[in-house]
């Protein structure tokens, strides 16, 4: 049952599946195919179950406790967006199969609602970040160099300003334990070759434009986001993977607040974990274990995640 195992801090055992990897937020499983002791190697499996936990991370640290319902909210949002981004193949595969007259669910019941069944891709080691607005690490870079990832920007921009046009500011996906690092487009060419580098950039900018317009209709600003892509193992075709346009991978702001606000805090009223970042930044210097989140911060964060989903999907 739901309460038998924690949803947040550790990856659970799922009968029929082998735990292959845990990132800060998600746990990956591959079908066990009857094996119990085989090394759970993603490379060997054509399918991967991506399970979003309730874990929340800030400044690259996983915090305690988790945010109840977060994994489900983010999975729902991701699936909603995949449905709307039809211009490119994505990594989702059917989550049920028809056997005779019965429908068999392929996603295990304990993680139903928080999991996506996907085809395993050869992931490109690039976080395809697009920014329509200047804030976060982009703002920091701008203050120092008036550019982000090698892209020169006009002088005089403020934190939270809209950019003249969205920019592609890729980051290198560092191996576990290392921090991702902003890189230039030329560096992505070295990493994946000129054809793929250009394809990832063009797809990311196009997806961002589509999503930004959809969000705008819901009174929400999509300030920035990160996409991940991989190559289909059989065809080599580029496929949209990972989570898409969730409040973990994106910054969403209230459009009215952005228009009328005068301080950065007022302008960037966000539907993501900014509450958590702000609370933590005010009382933790980054050394030792981060403090435990108080109940009201957990509840406020959960409420913001829920509101984003309601606004976007109308649900
Ligand atoms: P962290 O978020 O802790 O920095 P992470 O991004 O590796 O690390 P998660 O986002 O929690 O961890 O886990 C998701 C992982 O699954 C990512 O490494 C992502 O690249 C990978 N992934 C997503 N979709 C696929 C796919 N279709 N095939 C293979 N790997 C995938
Ligand atoms: Mg990730």
């Amino acid at each position: 049952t739901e309460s038998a195992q924690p949803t947040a801090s550790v990856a659970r055992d799922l009968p029929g599946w082998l735990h292959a990897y845990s990132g800060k937020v998600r746990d990956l499983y591959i079908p066990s195919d009857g094996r119990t002791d085989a090394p759970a190697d993603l490379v060997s499996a054509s399918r991967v179950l991506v399970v979003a936990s309730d874990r929340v991370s800030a400044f690259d640290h996983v915090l305690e406790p988790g945010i109840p319902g977060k994994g489900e909210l983010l999975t729902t949002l991701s699936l909603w967006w995949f449905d709307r981004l039809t211009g490119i193949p994505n990594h989702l595969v059917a989550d049920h199969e028809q056997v005779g007259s019965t429908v068999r669910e392929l996603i295990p019941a304990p993680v139903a609602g928080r999991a996506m069944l996907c085809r395993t891709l050869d992931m490109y080691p690039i976080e395809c970040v697009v920014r329509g607005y200047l804030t976060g690490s982009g703002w920091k870079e701008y203050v120092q160099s008036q550019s982000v990832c090698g892209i020169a920007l006009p002088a005089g921009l403020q934190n939270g300003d809209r950019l003249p046009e969205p920019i592609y500011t890729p980051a290198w996906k560092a191996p576990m334990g290392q921090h991702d690092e902003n890189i230039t487009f030329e560096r992505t060419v070295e990493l994946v070759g000129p054809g793929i580098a250009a394809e990832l950039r063009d797809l990311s900018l196009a997806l961002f434009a589509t999503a930004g317009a959809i969000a705008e209709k819901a009174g929400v600003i999509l300030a920035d986001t990160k996409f991940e892509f991989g190559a289909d193992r059989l065809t080599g075709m580029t496929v949209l993977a990972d989570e898409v346009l969730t409040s973990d991978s994106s910054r969403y702001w209230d459009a009215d607040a952005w228009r009328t606000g005068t301080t950065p805090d007022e302008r960037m009223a966000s539907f993501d974990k900014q509450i958590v970042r702000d609370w933590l930044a005010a009382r933790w210097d980054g050394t030792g274990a981060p403090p435990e989140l108080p109940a009201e911060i957990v509840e406020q964060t959960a409420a913001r995640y829920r509101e984003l989903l309601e606004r976007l999907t109308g649900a």
Side-chain angles (χ1 to χ4, degrees), residues 224-247:
D224 57 36
T225 197
K226 177 217 61 170
F227 301 106
E228 288 187 29
F229 301 89
D232 182 279
R233 288 175 172 177
L234 295 176
T235 64
M237 200 199 282
T238 299
V239 177
L240 180 60
D242 209 53
E243 58 181 342
V244 278
L245 297 155
T246 67
S247 24

Side-chain angles (χ1 to χ4, degrees), residues 21 23-26 28 91 119 121 123 173 228 242:
Y21 175 79
K24 280 187 291 293
V25 173
R26 276 150 321 138
L28 305 190
H91 67 160
R119 61 181 138 151
L121 303 171
M123 298 298 290
K173 251 182 96 63
E228 288 187 29
D242 209 53

